[in-house]
Amino acid sequence: MVVALNNNAQHQVVIIGGGFGGLYTAKHLAKANVKVTLIDKRNFHLFQPLLYQVATGTLSPADISSPLRAVFSKSKNTQVLLGEVNDIDPKAQQVIMGDKVVPYDTLIVATGANHSYFGKDNWKELAPGLKTVEDAIEMRRRIFSAFEAAEKETDPEKRRALLTFVIVGGGPTGVELAGAIAELAYKTLKEDFRNIDTSETKILLLQGGDRILPHISPDLSQVAAVSLQKLGVILQTNTRVTNIENNIVTFKQGDEVTAIASKTILWAAGVQGSAMGKVLAERTGVECDRSGRAIVEPDLTIKGYKNIFVVGDLGNFSYQDGKPLPGVAPVAKQQGEYVAKLIQKRLQGQTSRPFHYNHVGSLAMIGQNLAIVDLGFLKLTGFLAWVFWLIVHIYFLIEFDTKLLVVFQWAWNYITRNRRSRLITGKEDYVEAKTVNNITQIAN
Amino acid sequence: MVVALNNNAQHQVVIIGGGFGGLYTAKHLAKANVKVTLIDKRNFHLFQPLLYQVATGTLSPADISSPLRAVFSKSKNTQVLLGEVNDIDPKAQQVIMGDKVVPYDTLIVATGANHSYFGKDNWKELAPGLKTVEDAIEMRRRIFSAFEAAEKETDPEKRRALLTFVIVGGGPTGVELAGAIAELAYKTLKEDFRNIDTSETKILLLQGGDRILPHISPDLSQVAAVSLQKLGVILQTNTRVTNIENNIVTFKQGDEVTAIASKTILWAAGVQGSAMGKVLAERTGVECDRSGRAIVEPDLTIKGYKNIFVVGDLGNFSYQDGKPLPGVAPVAKQQGEYVAKLIQKRLQGQTSRPFHYNHVGSLAMIGQNLAIVDLGFLKLTGFLAWVFWLIVHIYFLIEFDTKLLVVFQWAWNYITRNRRSRLITGKEDYVEAKTVNNITQIAN
């Protein structure tokens, strides 16, 4: 049975994906004379930049999530559909969801990107990434389970592997994870265990390039590196992971090959366009880059389809500086806003100028009192940068949902160094992390 | 390999279970001249009375959980062990955890109780209960997924089943769930959907006895019933569930048998002592009641074992009124405190009077501005009772963990009628609730 969910004479805008790109497109169409259908697999928008704080026990998933229906409750021209899009039919102008079809006049594909394991997909289970709420809960489970298992482990070598954390990727997420785990091990958990000394924890951050945070200026990148090292993180640049198996990470720095036993390997590297990119390529012939991102036209449409737009991480927009815009929230948001305006102009018979990304600045959090802000004309480090980082993130968090509590939460955590959200949940075998099972069997 | 985790000349107290009973025992031993080992499968204490607020999207799991290590961080005589106890050896005075043993001088078993499905264990999957964080997340997933599926359902009959919620059990949890779902359907979600009218939602509360909240006085129970009905809940007393299958609940009221199609059946009935009760019975010969609860002596020890105590829901203490004390937090807390004091007195050669439960009062939350308080000398209903309920719960919540944020959260939710924690998470097939699959296949 095929049921058309929209049968309306109004111009139908269908948006696939409720991340920053999709959300901002919909937001800026809320007062337009169009009908908007926002489709997402999840019933909430996730503020991904703070996901690492869920993974390290500071925030709860709901603190950084906004139920999509709540966001669009008052936008009567917008309907939210929970479900997965299987296919797109650009000829019939339809999006296919199982046995239902959703017709569109204009389609926005905003399904984002995932981590890339550079073809080693079996590493995914051994070194999980951080894209979804479930990823964060799994990471949290592994991190805290490692300390728990170490507390019970009597073999010094096994204990050492349990207290070794390896983070692959020195972009913002990798840096933030490394900093947060350092604070956990060297500060928050210090008094909590009886058999282990958590200050013996070893945290390695492996970066392929010659510096961490390559998107910010070299001097600030250097400040970040020194700050991380002061926190206790061991930083390895120009380092390529060559193998992950059986809780052993092998990496190469120049000609030197090192293998290290670690029970908790976390992945924060690579970009891989989401599956919808492939569908789009098959159906429209749009060219994708090596990372599976669709190459968009200057107005964010795809070649040959004036009514199909790609916004956010799934798109490769290379008309500024010649290299693709980074997969960060501000790009997605500006693209969403741009497309929303373009659609309205078109309906009024007007044309639009090509998309131009207005880079405001880069931020990265390293630890308490410790952040990096690069606004071009202004560079901040340390406490001031940390406050700035907080204000910016709070500002964006409360933009479409009143998350005042998150502010209190941070303030409170800051004062108390508390990690109240450090629950080990989600799996039947919650007692021992899966990665830990090879070494020790304490409590089956 | 057998490793003794304790090898110390000090008196060893081992507590199995970090619920209210175990936690309060440990708390009141924190300054005693004994070594305390608290064993739990989870790394956090859960404030179970508020679990229904997680299940209905008001609070996050971390809001009502306290990491055990954080609670006992400063109690240097106390160690927390994360793991599952497989067995007890009362002769050798050892608790067995896999290949590790933990010797004890005094043992406290505080592993609590689960729901009873009255022998119909296959109902468990069809009508989940509410005891753990995972239970709450699963319940939340089912509740919100039902509304989502209804939004997409075009068949009126199937839609009706999706908008029908059946809660089995009219104790505090059942009443609180029914009230919370009524507020969700008739207030919070009212504006959020485009194809369904959530005010058509049907909420049935089935109670076996002749009134809900049998633990409070009949007049207050009546007030609760009227309040629930005003909220829109259909209340059926003297009603016994006779079958659950294929999303159909069948129940009997007198001679009348009714079958109703419902996609979301929630269980809040019955008591069944946890598995450790069986182990204890096998190893010590202690008698258990029909619900699998260990029958304790007046001093909470078990027959023949002066150094084994059972506190909280797992115990059947019937020396007051002749019937077992109810499985509620205040009983467990008082028992924990009692046992902690008894142990210290014993070590000083003193004896203790039998345990006596000091009943302070009963509370139940129905909805916003709507609660029931029965202190015996004082009975409150409506807004005043609601405020009282809040104050009492906040007081207990912040007792061992600073949960001031939960206060802000409630206050905020109260003002905004917001359910910011209504995430559908946790399963791969998060788009459709498992129970929903039989009826509709929209988005595979």
Side-chain angles (χ1 to χ4, degrees):
Chain A
M1 180 190 63
V2 171
V3 184
L5 289 181
N6 292 331
N7 26 32
N8 197 306
Q10 229 175 352
H11 188 89
Q12 304 278 341
V13 179
V14 171
I15 302 166
I16 312 177
F20 285 107
L23 195 78
Y24 275 76
T25 311
K27 265 305 208 192
H28 287 277
L29 286 172
K31 284 171 187 157
N33 184 24
V34 295
K35 177 116 197 295
V36 179
T37 301
L38 176 61
I39 305 173
D40 200 291
K41 291 190 288 185
R42 313 308 299 265
N43 73 330
F44 53 89
H45 166 73
L46 180 65
F47 194 87
Q48 263 186 4
L50 287 177
L51 203 50
Y52 82 96
Q53 297 217 352
V54 175
T56 50
T58 301
L59 294 176
S60 284
D63 297 334
I64 58 163
S65 304
S66 309
L68 287 170
R69 292 199 185 280
V71 175
F72 293 102
S73 183
K74 294 198 169 65
S75 310
K76 294 299 177 197
N77 73 333
T78 308
Q79 73 163 328
V80 175
L81 271 187
L82 187 69
E84 199 154 356
V85 171
N86 317 87
D87 209 347
I88 296 167
D89 184 343
K91 284 245 169 60
Q93 296 195 172
Q94 287 178 338
V95 155
I96 291 111
M97 300 172 71
D99 63 355
K100 296 242 190 305
V101 302
V102 187
Y104 65 80
D105 296 306
T106 300
L107 175 65
I108 289 103
V109 184
T111 51
N114 300 314
H115 291 297
S116 160
Y117 285 85
F118 309 118
K120 313 273 182 158
D121 286 346
N122 60 316
W123 292 1
K124 197 175 176 177
E125 176 67 21
L126 304 167
L130 189 60
K131 284 289 181 185
T132 67
V133 161
E134 285 75 13
D135 288 345
I137 290 172
E138 172 63 14
M139 219 178 243
R140 185 176 75 183
R141 195 178 69 78
R142 292 193 186 202
I143 293 169
F144 290 99
S145 294
F147 288 108
E148 292 294 339
E151 172 79 351
K152 290 185 288 188
E153 184 55 66
T154 46
D155 181 305
E157 202 177 311
K158 289 174 183 172
R159 186 181 274 191
R160 212 170 302 125
L162 285 162
L163 291 180
T164 300
F165 296 81
V166 177
I167 297 132
V168 183
T173 302
V175 166
E176 285 159 348
L177 276 175
I181 295 173
E183 293 209 320
L184 258 183
Y186 306 139
K187 292 174 188 168
T188 313
L189 298 181
K190 228 171 150 18
E191 302 288 306
D192 283 7
F193 292 86
R194 299 290 176 261
N195 302 323
I196 55 169
D197 178 358
T198 59
S199 65
E200 289 172 6
T201 302
K202 216 166 150 179
I203 302 155
L204 273 85
L205 179 63
L206 310 182
Q207 164 70 332
D210 59 354
R211 60 187 182 99
I212 56 168
L213 304 176
H215 63 299
I216 62 169
S217 66
D219 53 334
L220 282 181
S221 168
Q222 179 59 19
V223 172
V226 171
S227 304
L228 267 184
Q229 282 161 336
K230 265 192 200 155
L231 264 182
V233 174
I234 302 160
L235 185 59
Q236 306 258 29
T237 50
N238 295 311
T239 300
R240 207 163 46 83
V241 172
T242 53
N243 197 29
I244 301 177
E245 70 182 305
N246 205 12
N247 303 313
I248 306 271
V249 202
T250 310
F251 52 87
K252 215 175 160 179
Q253 195 177 26
D255 288 333
E256 200 182 331
V257 176
T258 312
I260 192 162
S262 165
K263 287 292 157 196
T264 316
I265 307 162
L266 307 175
W267 196 264
V271 178
Q272 175 67 51
S274 53
M276 194 47 61
K278 227 173 175 174
V279 173
L280 201 63
E282 274 172 30
R283 299 299 178 216
T284 66
V286 65
E287 195 188 334
C288 288
D289 66 13
R290 285 197 318 162
S291 303
R293 291 175 299 186
I295 291 167
V296 295
E297 300 293 295
D299 62 356
L300 303 178
T301 57
I302 56 172
K303 213 171 196 163
Y305 293 87
K306 279 284 147 214
N307 66 338
I308 301 183
F309 296 83
V310 175
V311 303
D313 292 7
L314 182 63
N316 175 331
F317 180 93
S318 301
Y319 303 94
Q320 281 171 244
D321 319 336
K323 55 181 188 182
L325 289 176
V328 294
V331 171
K333 287 156 80 169
Q334 291 183 26
Q335 291 186 336
E337 193 174 341
Y338 170 85
V339 170
K341 283 184 183 158
L342 185 150
I343 292 168
Q344 292 171 77
K345 280 188 180 173
R346 260 195 202 166
L347 290 175
Q348 292 158 6
Q350 298 167 20
T351 55
S352 296
R353 292 200 302 183
F355 173 70
H356 181 87
Y357 172 54
N358 178 22
H359 182 66
V360 179
S362 299
L363 309 176
M365 170 71 108
I366 292 156
Q368 262 169 2
N369 296 346
L370 218 53
I372 300 290
V373 173
D374 184 355
L375 302 182
F377 68 96
L378 177 69
K379 290 174 184 182
L380 297 174
T381 59
F383 182 71
L384 219 62
W386 186 78
V387 171
F388 186 89
W389 185 95
L390 273 186
I391 291 171
V392 168
H393 279 78
I394 288 163
Y395 172 80
F396 286 122
L397 262 185
I398 62 176
E399 206 174 347
F400 34 77
D401 192 5
T402 325
K403 297 279 185 186
L404 287 178
L405 288 165
V406 179
V407 185
F408 288 117
Q409 208 129 310
W410 267 330
W412 190 253
N413 287 343
Y414 178 57
I415 297 161
T416 61
R417 287 198 185 285
N418 194 5
R419 300 262 169 171
R420 38 189 289 286
S421 303
R422 57 172 130 139
L423 316 184
I424 301 175
T425 60
K427 295 242 175 153
E428 294 289 313
D429 55 310
Y430 37 71
V431 176
E432 300 292 292
K434 209 182 266 171
T435 43
V436 169
N437 275 339
N438 290 337
I439 276 200
T440 175
Q441 291 273 351
I442 294 164
N444 282 339
Chain B
M1 181 191 61
V2 171
V3 184
L5 289 180
N6 292 329
N7 27 31
N8 198 306
Q10 231 176 353
H11 188 90
Q12 304 278 341
V13 178
V14 171
I15 303 166
I16 312 176
F20 285 106
L23 195 77
Y24 275 75
T25 310
K27 265 305 207 191
H28 288 277
L29 286 172
K31 283 170 187 158
N33 184 24
V34 295
K35 178 115 198 298
V36 178
T37 302
L38 176 61
I39 305 171
D40 200 292
K41 292 191 287 186
R42 313 307 300 264
N43 73 331
F44 54 89
H45 166 74
L46 180 65
F47 195 88
Q48 263 186 6
L50 288 177
L51 203 51
Y52 82 94
Q53 297 216 353
V54 175
T56 50
T58 301
L59 294 176
S60 283
D63 297 334
I64 58 163
S65 304
S66 309
L68 287 171
R69 293 198 185 280
V71 174
F72 294 103
S73 182
K74 294 200 169 62
S75 311
K76 294 300 175 193
N77 73 332
T78 308
Q79 72 164 328
V80 174
L81 271 187
L82 187 69
E84 198 154 357
V85 171
N86 317 88
D87 208 348
I88 295 168
D89 184 344
K91 284 244 168 63
Q93 297 196 169
Q94 288 178 339
V95 155
I96 290 109
M97 299 172 71
D99 62 355
K100 296 240 192 307
V101 301
V102 187
Y104 66 79
D105 296 306
T106 300
L107 175 66
I108 290 103
V109 184
T111 51
N114 299 314
H115 292 296
S116 161
Y117 284 85
F118 310 118
K120 312 272 183 160
D121 286 344
N122 61 316
W123 292 1
K124 198 175 174 177
E125 177 67 20
L126 305 168
L130 190 59
K131 285 287 181 186
T132 68
V133 162
E134 284 75 14
D135 288 346
I137 290 172
E138 171 64 16
M139 218 178 241
R140 184 176 76 183
R141 196 178 68 78
R142 293 193 186 202
I143 292 168
F144 290 100
S145 294
F147 288 108
E148 292 295 339
E151 173 80 350
K152 289 184 289 189
E153 183 56 66
T154 45
D155 180 304
E157 202 176 310
K158 289 173 183 173
R159 185 181 275 192
R160 212 171 301 125
L162 284 162
L163 291 179
T164 300
F165 295 82
V166 178
I167 297 133
V168 184
T173 300
V175 165
E176 285 159 347
L177 276 175
I181 295 172
E183 293 208 321
L184 258 184
Y186 307 139
K187 291 174 190 169
T188 312
L189 299 181
K190 227 170 150 20
E191 303 287 307
D192 283 7
F193 292 87
R194 300 290 176 262
N195 302 322
I196 55 168
D197 179 357
T198 59
S199 66
E200 288 172 8
T201 302
K202 216 166 151 180
I203 302 156
L204 273 85
L205 179 63
L206 310 182
Q207 164 70 333
D210 60 353
R211 62 188 181 95
I212 57 167
L213 303 176
H215 63 299
I216 61 170
S217 66
D219 52 336
L220 281 182
S221 167
Q222 179 59 21
V223 172
V226 171
S227 304
L228 267 184
Q229 282 160 336
K230 264 191 199 155
L231 262 182
V233 174
I234 302 159
L235 185 58
Q236 304 258 32
T237 50
N238 295 311
T239 300
R240 208 162 47 81
V241 172
T242 54
N243 198 29
I244 302 176
E245 69 182 305
N246 206 9
N247 304 312
I248 305 272
V249 202
T250 311
F251 53 86
K252 217 175 159 178
Q253 194 177 28
D255 288 334
E256 200 182 329
V257 176
T258 313
I260 191 161
S262 164
K263 288 290 157 198
T264 315
I265 308 162
L266 307 175
W267 196 263
V271 178
Q272 176 68 49
S274 54
M276 195 46 60
K278 228 174 176 174
V279 173
L280 200 64
E282 273 171 30
R283 298 299 178 215
T284 66
V286 65
E287 196 188 332
C288 288
D289 66 12
R290 284 197 318 163
S291 303
R293 291 176 299 186
I295 291 168
V296 295
E297 300 294 294
D299 63 356
L300 304 176
T301 58
I302 56 171
K303 214 172 199 164
Y305 294 86
K306 279 283 149 213
N307 67 339
I308 302 183
F309 296 83
V310 176
V311 304
D313 291 8
L314 182 63
N316 174 330
F317 180 93
S318 300
Y319 304 95
Q320 280 171 244
D321 320 339
K323 55 180 188 182
L325 289 177
V328 294
V331 170
K333 287 157 78 169
Q334 291 182 26
Q335 291 187 337
E337 194 175 341
Y338 169 84
V339 170
K341 283 185 183 159
L342 185 149
I343 292 168
Q344 292 172 75
K345 280 187 179 173
R346 260 194 201 166
L347 289 175
Q348 292 159 6
Q350 299 168 19
T351 55
S352 297
R353 294 199 302 183
F355 173 71
H356 181 87
Y357 172 53
N358 178 23
H359 181 68
V360 179
S362 299
L363 310 175
M365 170 70 109
I366 292 157
Q368 260 168 2
N369 295 346
L370 218 54
I372 300 291
V373 173
D374 185 354
L375 303 181
F377 68 97
L378 177 70
K379 289 173 185 181
L380 297 174
T381 59
F383 181 71
L384 219 60
W386 185 78
V387 171
F388 187 88
W389 184 95
L390 273 186
I391 291 171
V392 167
H393 279 78
I394 288 163
Y395 172 80
F396 286 122
L397 262 185
I398 62 175
E399 204 174 351
F400 34 78
D401 193 4
T402 325
K403 297 279 183 187
L404 286 178
L405 288 165
V406 179
V407 184
F408 288 116
Q409 207 130 313
W410 267 330
W412 190 253
N413 287 341
Y414 177 57
I415 297 161
T416 61
R417 287 197 187 284
N418 193 5
R419 301 257 169 175
R420 39 190 288 288
S421 302
R422 58 172 127 137
L423 317 183
I424 300 176
T425 61
K427 294 240 177 160
E428 293 291 312
D429 55 346
Y430 37 71
V431 176
E432 301 291 291
K434 207 182 264 170
T435 45
V436 168
N437 275 338
N438 290 335
I439 274 199
T440 174
Q441 292 274 352
I442 294 166
N444 282 338

